[in-house]
Amino acid sequence: MADSDVATKAPESDVQETPPPASESVFPGDTPAQAGPTMGEHCTTDRPTPAGEAPTGAITKLGGVDVYVAKPTDYPHSPSKLLLLLTGGTGIQSTNNQLQADKYAAEGYVVIMPDQFNNDPAPNSVNMAELPQDASWLDSIKLKTAEGVKAFMIDMWLARHTSENVLPLLHKVVEGAKEEFADAVANGGGIYGVGYCFGAKYILILAGEYPDPAVQGQEAPNDVEAGVVKKEPVLRAGAIAHGTMVTKDDLEAVKSPVFIAAVKDDPMFPEDEVLTPGRRALEANKVEHDIQVFPGVPHGFAVYGDYDDPKIKQNQEQAFEKMLGWIQAH
């Protein structure tokens, strides 16, 4: 296991935000330590798209769910593997997310990027940095009010997209992909997964044994002593970047090999409450894993998009190479 830091520095305007702590989590069962900041600016807003780039995939349906599908140019004439890509709050209509899927497709993967939000992506962000220096007091009040409204809208949005709502959609897509792209699943010996921000949590869930009767489509047992039948991991291997709302329980349940790209001092993926105990659980459970911590970059840096700071762009590319290398090696 590696825990190396990548040298860079925070950009002037893209330094990681620290959202105000939340009073409780939208995920039932989370501890108070896990009920802090949930979604930041980079979870809900795209960076500018690099000039001259356009997606090459298409939106279709799998299992009745909208999905963006990106394929290698020579598929199906050349063998490919199946990759499930789960996005942050910007969803499958985001040009940057589509371009990210295309990057994996160019490496030999049939990429399935599902609309895990059921046509309800996260509300657009409001940024205080956009306020002109000569703005009036009234303008400042209006924008601060808008920020408060945005935070409330995000909380309401998160309440609509809990695991009880998201996981059934993902399972429909997985079953549809197994049928539609059986050749890619067979060629890879299973399904691989990568996830960013919001989607990272669900890659970890799908890489683990998750004893949730609602997810399994089963009724909870009357006898608590009987426990809940655990399902085998959906994913052969997974890689995530700067997860949000990840809990130590998510990491404790992981069974498939995982790579984690984390941001140093990230309030949305806190080291003391989540990353460190999660690492210990992976070690104790003898799960193959690798964790790399990137200092001085904003939460969301690994999502494809343009940055003025070349060092962030370099780290973005490095995170992609690490995530790609991990699934290629497994």
Side-chain angles (χ1 to χ4, degrees):
M1 180 191 69
D3 189 11
S4 57
D5 287 354
V6 180
T8 185
K9 65 178 181 180
E12 301 80 8
S13 60
D14 290 312
V15 66
Q16 175 179 304
E17 308 89 353
T18 304
S23 57
E24 65 179 64
S25 171
V26 297
F27 288 95
D30 282 3
T31 66
Q34 295 154 349
T38 52
M39 299 282 283
E41 183 81 11
H42 290 269
C43 299
T44 60
T45 305
D46 276 337
R47 299 297 307 169
T49 300
E53 298 194 32
T56 58
I59 293 179
T60 182
K61 285 187 181 289
L62 276 178
V65 179
D66 286 344
V67 295
Y68 177 83
V69 178
K71 305 173 185 176
T73 55
D74 54 356
Y75 177 80
H77 304 293
S78 295
S80 300
K81 298 179 181 180
L82 189 71
L83 177 67
L84 181 72
L85 192 159
L86 302 184
T87 72
T90 49
I92 68 169
Q93 297 290 346
S94 157
T95 299
N96 286 357
N97 290 339
Q98 293 178 1
L99 289 170
Q100 189 130 47
D102 292 351
K103 281 172 64 70
Y104 285 104
E107 299 294 337
Y109 291 87
V110 174
V111 183
I112 307 299
M113 187 168 72
D115 180 11
Q116 56 195 341
F117 310 124
N118 198 21
N119 199 31
D120 179 30
N124 290 332
S125 66
V126 176
N127 189 352
M128 284 298 290
E130 296 174 356
L131 189 66
Q133 291 185 349
D134 59 351
S136 68
W137 173 81
L138 181 58
D139 287 338
S140 300
I141 293 297
K142 286 180 179 178
L143 191 51
K144 288 179 180 178
T145 301
E147 281 194 320
V149 171
K150 164 72 187 316
F152 174 76
M153 290 173 64
I154 287 293
D155 287 345
M156 295 298 292
W157 179 80
L158 287 170
R160 295 195 298 271
H161 299 292
T162 59
S163 58
E164 290 79 8
N165 294 323
V166 173
L167 280 166
L169 293 174
L170 298 182
H171 284 297
K172 288 179 181 179
V173 170
V174 166
E175 292 307 310
K178 286 179 179 178
E179 181 176 348
E180 181 75 15
F181 301 105
D183 59 327
V185 175
N187 184 57
I191 300 173
Y192 298 83
V194 295
Y196 299 83
C197 298
F198 185 101
K201 178 182 179 76
Y202 292 92
I203 290 298
L204 293 176
I205 290 176
L206 296 177
E209 292 179 338
Y210 215 72
D212 184 347
V215 174
Q216 313 293 332
Q218 307 168 9
E219 293 184 2
N222 294 326
D223 182 5
V224 177
E225 296 293 325
V228 179
V229 176
K230 293 183 180 180
K231 201 169 185 178
E232 289 296 313
V234 171
L235 301 178
R236 179 181 176 92
I240 69 168
H242 38 70
T244 63
M245 296 165 295
V246 172
T247 70
K248 61 183 180 65
D249 290 341
D250 295 332
L251 289 162
E252 287 172 354
V254 168
K255 297 299 179 185
S256 299
V258 292
F259 170 79
I260 298 173
V263 173
K264 188 171 178 60
D265 300 324
D266 186 353
M268 284 166 279
F269 197 175
E271 183 173 356
D272 291 343
E273 294 87 353
V274 179
L275 186 58
T276 296
R279 184 198 337 247
R280 290 170 181 161
L282 291 168
E283 292 172 349
N285 294 334
K286 294 181 171 54
V287 175
E288 187 182 355
H289 64 284
D290 188 7
I291 299 173
Q292 183 165 348
V293 178
F294 292 78
V297 293
H299 180 96
F301 81 98
V303 175
Y304 194 65
D306 205 5
Y307 281 93
D308 292 333
D309 189 326
K311 292 185 178 180
I312 294 184
K313 295 172 71 173
Q314 292 169 8
N315 287 323
Q316 183 181 99
E317 186 61 30
Q318 182 171 6
F320 172 78
E321 294 295 337
K322 294 285 286 189
M323 295 172 75
L324 173 65
W326 183 261
I327 58 175
Q328 286 177 330
H330 293 85

